[in-house]
Structures are given as structure tokens and as C-alpha cells.
Amino acid sequence: MFTALFKDLRSFAVSNIAYFQNGKGNTQARFHAAFCLLHEHIDRGIQPTVELIAPRLDEYDLSPDVQANGFRSIIKIIHKCCLHILQLVRHIHVNRESMFFRSSHYSSELEAYVETLGQLRACLEHAYKLMDFCKDGSLFADEEMIDDAIAEELTQQVEKLSQECFYGRTMGFQFCSSMQKPLSTVGVTMASFSENYLDNKSHFMQFAGTVLSSGKYLLNPELRARQICAVTRMADVRFCKAFWSITESGIMQQLPTFVCPSVQVNEVMALQPESFEIEAVESKETVTITPPCAHTGHGPVNVRLLSSEYRVGQPRKSSKPLPKKTVPLPLSPCLLVHCHGGGFVAQSSKSHEVYLRQWAKDLNAPILSIDYSLSPEHPFPRALEECFYAYAWAVKNCRSLGSTGEVICLAGDSAGGNLMISTAMRAASFGIRVPDGIVAAYTPVLVHYTPSPSRMLSLMDPLLPVGILVRCMAAYAGIPNDFLDQRRSSRDIEEEFVVIETVDCEEDSPSSDSYIQDDSSSVDILNRVTSLESLDSDLGFPVSKTNQILNVDDNDSAVLVVGGNQVQSDSVAVETGTLGQSDAGVSEVASPDEFNSVCLDTSGGSSLAASTLGDLPLAEEADESGKQISQLELANSRRSLPPPRQSLHLSLPSSPTKPKKTFPISPSMPAIGISDRLGYKKGFSPVYEARHHIESPVRIFRSLPIVKNPYMSPMVAPDEMLASLPPLYLVGCHLDPLLDDSVMFARKLRSLGRTVDLHMIEDLPHGFLNFSLVSAEAKLGSDVLVDKIRKVFHSSLKEEQNDTESVNTSPPH
């Protein structure tokens, strides 16, 4: 699949380079430079690195049946980008001599996609280096190895990669077609909203300004990209709250009423902060459930009850009047307790009605959705305390919700999934009833800034950019926003402490909940003063336009390693036969949906180019730009590279401590130096942010023990806590920055013998549930979660029925 794709891209690149290299106009020069750079990316970066990663992809999958991990995701996105470029260059090749050919437009399109491919190349090479720090197939860097300065520098380099190319003309290219327009609308709205938000205008003026300024961002994708990148890296978490809350303002708040299925019960209730008794599971004793009290003291918990049909016991105070002679339906045996997403900082059950109303109709069961308190005003553990209190209240008062409570399922997306998993673990620690199953979509189970290949996707995610992801995690952990702002000096940060205050309140929780009460726990840890490590504002990474991976001099030769001996390439014979105007003879490329594994043919070569190597003396001194190699670029893997058909790669100075991890020229295309011969001589250097707006959170997160609390990050929970979880159904997306969380959590639960199911969804972004009204694929994804919830309901009811029949048919004693 990749071999045919790369061959076609090279063919078109060489043909167009030969065509445009003699052009005299500026547009022709832009085409020539873009095609040279495209050839450079494929020949010296993408293909050789894919060939190195591909044989190891299976090590990181959950199972042979579930082929999903962040490494596959990066390669999948590169495949999609190459397919877009192939379609574009075909059009350019066929129409370049037409008088109606819009050369300026297509040169801008080609430049945008080639730049995107270059940044993806950087992500791919960083992912390959990350493999050194991932032990035994883990997708997260090993905690002991991550303390290595090289690993920390790797994290910071990825964080500093420029994102602008991903939010311009190519925005959302990696997703299905039905999501691309909605995501572009989100991008335009974010850019125009941020412009007015930063001006501190009133809500009405912000809305009016957003509408008026949206036009320029719609017509100018480059301007939109600059604005989005600036605001996501500079704005604090309050911007995230304001932007994500747009769906709950004005007419947007009434939208579900008009376009979603109607429900006969849509009731908002406030659970008063009163202690109550609930029966324990394994004894006749009762357990006292106390109301939430962290940070702000006792307060009510708001919940929303949704039901498509009015049932016995359900409240109806604010709902619309029922039709005359309506008879309440009997109690449902099932109850769904839901928790919404929003990065722990935004949204509510109201904004998630876009799919909850459909769920209520499809499941024909009551849904209790919890409106937990949001960070940063109410950081961990306030939200967890409220979710647990609401769950325990629902178990005790299920008949007031229209259910007998025979089967109770928990469901949540993103942050809501995290809270539901933690709620189930806390219920087990209290000794009360554990839910019959959990359904969680694209859920973060490691609220910790730990490198993983899928988290690199936040560099290009339209809904979860890297700056927003970092700030949401920090807000939930209780880290003040100022500590992530580089506009403050390092000395100011060093002299301060993290002080998070809570209101003292009585806690009558059982002693079994030791993880809430111990020294590194939710309540007590928030009363402590935790000093931070020294934070350097200068991250020590040079922003240079010179090549930091393949340092090629300006001359026409390149230092090579052939059979262990260094030689210099002096001449390259290139066949640049002009291709025909038609597309005949161009091999078909497989659909990205067929991407289950990467299989590359490295036995054959290409007829487009061949290399002639001569032994020449090495250059005595390197260019000054070649000396700007970071410690990471001088580091190397602890494993040997697979022996290619021809071991040809550019040589770099060796590290005094570790050998250099090199990226050889693809054996399938042994045309060393061809990119230089065709006009691109400087080699490849990723685009980095000229000014890094946020302080790297790596040290901050590692210095706070609260982020390793098992109720904040279920991934790090001890085995005895995870063993108490009911059957878990995880739904992940191949293109989601949080994919590795789902894969690794499912792997850990399976190792403990727990029932866990991981269902992967193609070509949809993080948060797709909120787009189920505008995308057919997103609606199908929502239906997948409904099926998983039904499975929990039916399997539990069947077990209860079998238990009842066995009791009734057992002989008397």
C-alpha cells in the first residue's frame, strides 16, 4: 500500500520538478520548491522511518483483533495526507498547461499540504525515538526513563512544533468528509470568538463581534491558523470554558428541543447536601454517605433526569404538560447514570442533550445526567465527590427516577468517562453496590503529562489542541494557570508554592476509602503546600532553520555510510522522463480504511533514479549550522536498526555517551542526494514556534503527587482497586489524542482478568458525540455506545433471570 503510494508521489514530483525548474515566474518557482520538498520528505524521512516502525506496530496493539495504538495513528494520518497530496499533484500534472489552470491557488494548496507532511514527518521521527522510552509494548514512556534529560527534551521538542499548518487549508483533512465542514466551522468560530474574547467585551458584543469577524477567517485560512494557534497557546483555561460553553447560550440552548427527539421528562433537580444511609453489599450494616465538601464546603448537586416516556415516580415540575389521558408507564428495570465531558472545565448535561435525547428514546430507560462542579474553581476531588454522591443517591432513590434499579449502568465521554470509572472504584471502596457496567468514550485515564504517540496528535486536533489539553489537565489537578504562563519569569515561579485551600468539613466516610484520606489523596493533599521544582523559562532548544536531522552541506555531495565506511556522494544519475498527460499507468492506492497493518516492499527499486557512489575525501569542517544539534538529536536508540537492502544513511557526529539514532535513506529508493540535485539543498528542519507561549508542564506535573492519585488517574490505581470494577466497555477513536489511554487501560484490566471491551471507531475526532446531529458517521459512533449500554442492560437482566430460575427450580432441602 505505502510502496505504491510513495512510488506515485515520487513519479509526479520528479516530473513536475523537471517541468517547473525552468520557469521564470514566481508561481513556477513556488511549484518547483514545493515538489522538491515533497520528494525530500518522502525519500529521506517518511518512507525510511515508516519502514523502521512498521515491524514493531503489533507490539503495541491490545490484541491481534484490536489493532490500535498511537504509532498506527500517526502513520494512518500520514497515509491520509499523502493521499490528499497524490490527488492534488495528479490534478496539477494533468492541468498545468491549461489556460484555465489556477496556478496561484494550487501552488498555495500544494505548499500547505507539503508543509503539513513535513510536520507529520517530524512527529513520526519523534515517535520513533519515543520507542526507546516505552518498555514492554507500553505506549506511555516509562516513569523511570522519563526522568532522563533526553526524554524530557523529546517531550519539549514535540510541544514546540508549530501547529499553524494543521489549522489552515488542511484543517481536519484526517477525518471523514462529513466532519470536515463542521470542524472548519469550529475553527472559524474559535478564531473569531477569541478575537473578541481577548478584548474583554460583554457577552452580547462578543457574540456580535464573533459573527462580524468570522468572514475574514473563513476567507483567509492562514489568518485563521495563526489566530487559533496563538489563542490555544496563550489564553488561559477561562477561554476554554467560555468557548466550549457557546452551545449553552442563546438559541443554541434551545436547539435540541427543535431537532432532537422529544422527551416527556426533562427535569433538573438539586440534590440537597444531606447525609443518608445506604445498605452495604456484603453485610447487613449500612454505610453513611456524606455530601461533597471539598474546596467550597457542603453544597447541592445538580442532576438532570431525561426519559422519553413518563414513568411512575418521576417528577414533573418544569416539563411540558403531558397529553390528556396519559398513563404513566411502569418502572423500568434499567437506569443509566451519565456524566458529560468538557475537559473537567466546561459544558453541562444541557449541552449534551444533542445525543442524550436520542439515547433516552433508543434505550427506553431513564437517564440521570450529573452536572458536576467545574474546574479551575472546583478542582479535584470536588467533581468526583459530587458524582459519587449522585450515584449513591440514585441507587437509594431509583424508584423516584422511574426505575427499579435492577440494572444500573454508568456512561460518560471524555472527562465524564474518567469520573464514572472513579465513581465505580469509590463505590467498591465504600462497600456499596457497584454498577453493573461502565461505558466510556475517548476517556483520559492518565491525567498526567506523560509522552505517548497518540498524545502527539494534539498538535493537529481541532477540538483538543495541545495548549488546551495541558491547561484542562492542570486545572483539574489544581495547578494555577499562572504556573503555565511563560510570560512570568522563572524566578517568580521558583519562589512560589502551589497552595490549594479547602473548607474544613466533617468526613464520615468509611475507613476503607483510604485513597481519599491518605497523605497523597484528594482532600488532605489539597491542604498541603507543595513546592515546585525549578522551572527554566528557557527550554534550551534552538529555533533554527537549519537541518537538525540530516545535516547536508550546500554542495552537491552528501556524507554516506556504505557497509560501515564513510564515503561521499558526488554524482547522481537521474532519469526524468516526462510522464504522460493521462493518469494511465498510475497504480491504484488502497483506501485508508483498509489500513490494518503496514506492509512495505523493500526488495525492489525505482526506475526513476539510481545512484552512483564514489570514494571522495570527507569534509574537514562542518558548517556552523550543523553544530546546532540538540542533545536529543545526538542521542540514539539502545537497539540496532534492521539491516536494509542497502545500508545508506547520512552520518552525524556521535554522542560521547550514546550512539546516534539515524534515519537512513529508504532502501526502496536508494537515490542518495537526489533531493539536493533537484534543487533542495538544505535538508529538512521541522517548523518550531518562534515564541513558545506556555511553560512546559513536564516538571510541574511530575512534582505534584496529586496527579498520581488513583481516583484522578485510574491508570495508576493498584490492582485491588481495578479488580473491583464491573465489565468495562471502552470506545476509542483511532485519531484521538487520548487513544493510548484506552488501549493501555484495557490491556491492564485484561491482565487482571477483568471483562473489558475496546471498540475502535474510524475517522472521527475526539468529542464526536456532540456532532451526531451534523455528521452521519458521528451518529453511527453514537449508536455504537447505545449498543454497548444495551449489552450491559440485557446481559445483567439475563443473569438475574437465570439466577431467579435456578432458585425456583432448586429442590427443597
Side-chain angles (χ1 to χ4, degrees), residues 551-725:
N551 290 287
V552 183
D553 294 334
D554 289 340
N555 54 34
D556 290 338
S557 61
V559 181
L560 307 177
V561 177
V562 183
N565 299 321
Q566 288 186 342
V567 297
Q568 199 169 21
S569 173
D570 183 52
S571 62
V572 179
V574 183
E575 296 180 15
T576 57
T578 305
L579 299 178
Q581 294 297 321
S582 68
D583 290 340
V586 179
S587 60
E588 294 296 328
V589 181
S591 168
D593 292 335
E594 300 173 8
F595 182 81
N596 292 322
S597 61
V598 179
C599 181
L600 296 170
D601 178 14
T602 60
S603 60
S606 172
S607 61
L608 293 175
S611 61
T612 303
L613 304 177
D615 292 334
L616 294 177
L618 299 176
E620 295 182 359
E621 294 183 1
D623 186 82
E624 285 296 320
S625 63
K627 298 179 181 180
Q628 298 184 17
I629 302 175
S630 67
Q631 183 183 8
L632 175 62
E633 296 299 339
L634 292 177
N636 193 15
S637 67
R638 297 167 177 83
R639 62 183 186 277
S640 60
L641 301 180
R645 185 177 179 87
Q646 297 182 25
S647 299
L648 304 175
H649 58 82
L650 295 181
S651 174
L652 283 176
S654 60
S655 169
T657 57
K658 297 182 179 181
K660 167 67 182 145
K661 173 177 283 188
T662 54
F663 295 93
I665 298 300
S666 171
S668 303
M669 182 62 177
I672 309 306
I674 186 173
S675 297
D676 305 291
R677 290 289 181 179
L678 296 177
Y680 190 78
K681 299 182 178 181
K682 282 294 184 182
F684 167 67
S685 177
V687 180
Y688 291 93
E689 291 291 332
R691 178 173 178 264
H692 192 50
H693 302 297
I694 60 174
E695 183 73 29
S696 177
V698 177
R699 298 174 186 170
I700 298 177
F701 274 89
R702 285 215 310 271
S703 66
L704 293 178
I706 193 173
V707 299
K708 295 185 179 181
N709 186 292
Y711 287 110
M712 175 181 283
S713 299
M715 177 72 75
V716 301
D719 293 350
E720 59 270 19
M721 291 184 67
L722 296 178
S724 66
L725 286 175

Side-chain angles (χ1 to χ4, degrees), residues 345-411:
V345 302
Q347 299 193 334
S348 68
S349 61
K350 183 65 178 177
S351 58
H352 285 245
E353 279 191 45
V354 292
Y355 64 87
L356 285 179
R357 283 172 171 259
Q358 185 67 49
W359 284 15
K361 178 181 178 181
D362 294 341
L363 295 171
N364 195 25
I367 299 177
L368 186 71
S369 186
I370 306 170
D371 284 319
Y372 55 89
S373 297
L374 302 174
S375 301
E377 295 83 5
H378 306 278
F380 180 85
R382 182 72 189 199
L384 172 59
E385 289 184 350
E386 293 181 352
C387 289
F388 173 71
Y389 183 83
Y391 166 74
W393 183 91
V395 171
K396 182 178 178 63
N397 300 277
C398 55
R399 291 183 173 273
S400 300
L401 303 175
S403 171
T404 60
E406 295 175 47
V407 182
I408 299 179
C409 178
L410 303 186

Side-chain angles (χ1 to χ4, degrees), residues 448-645:
H448 190 199
Y449 200 81
T450 300
S452 86
S454 75
R455 293 197 176 188
M456 292 185 188
L457 303 185
S458 62
L459 289 168
M460 63 199 79
D461 194 276
L463 302 174
L464 204 61
V466 60
I468 290 180
L469 176 62
V470 170
R471 293 180 186 277
C472 289
M473 286 184 175
Y476 187 51
I479 301 175
N481 187 74
D482 290 345
F483 283 87
L484 301 181
D485 195 339
Q486 198 181 21
R487 287 170 288 184
R488 306 177 61 205
S489 67
S490 295
R491 175 168 297 187
D492 292 339
I493 298 177
E494 290 174 7
E495 293 176 353
E496 295 190 21
F497 301 94
V498 177
V499 182
I500 308 176
E501 297 180 354
T502 64
V503 177
D504 293 334
C505 57
E506 295 180 359
E507 181 63 63
D508 297 326
S509 302
S511 59
S512 61
D513 194 21
S514 58
Y515 291 96
I516 286 292
Q517 299 174 349
D518 66 11
D519 203 24
S520 62
S521 67
S522 57
V523 178
D524 293 340
I525 194 172
L526 297 174
N527 292 314
R528 291 184 298 142
V529 179
T530 308
S531 62
L532 297 179
E533 297 176 12
S534 174
L535 301 177
D536 299 326
S537 60
D538 182 8
L539 300 180
F541 186 83
V543 180
S544 172
K545 294 183 180 180
T546 58
N547 179 22
Q548 297 184 2
I549 297 178
L550 303 174
N551 290 287
V552 183
D553 294 334
D554 289 340
N555 54 34
D556 290 338
S557 61
V559 181
L560 307 177
V561 177
V562 183
N565 299 321
Q566 288 186 342
V567 297
Q568 199 169 21
S569 173
D570 183 52
S571 62
V572 179
V574 183
E575 296 180 15
T576 57
T578 305
L579 299 178
Q581 294 297 321
S582 68
D583 290 340
V586 179
S587 60
E588 294 296 328
V589 181
S591 168
D593 292 335
E594 300 173 8
F595 182 81
N596 292 322
S597 61
V598 179
C599 181
L600 296 170
D601 178 14
T602 60
S603 60
S606 172
S607 61
L608 293 175
S611 61
T612 303
L613 304 177
D615 292 334
L616 294 177
L618 299 176
E620 295 182 359
E621 294 183 1
D623 186 82
E624 285 296 320
S625 63
K627 298 179 181 180
Q628 298 184 17
I629 302 175
S630 67
Q631 183 183 8
L632 175 62
E633 296 299 339
L634 292 177
N636 193 15
S637 67
R638 297 167 177 83
R639 62 183 186 277
S640 60
L641 301 180
R645 185 177 179 87

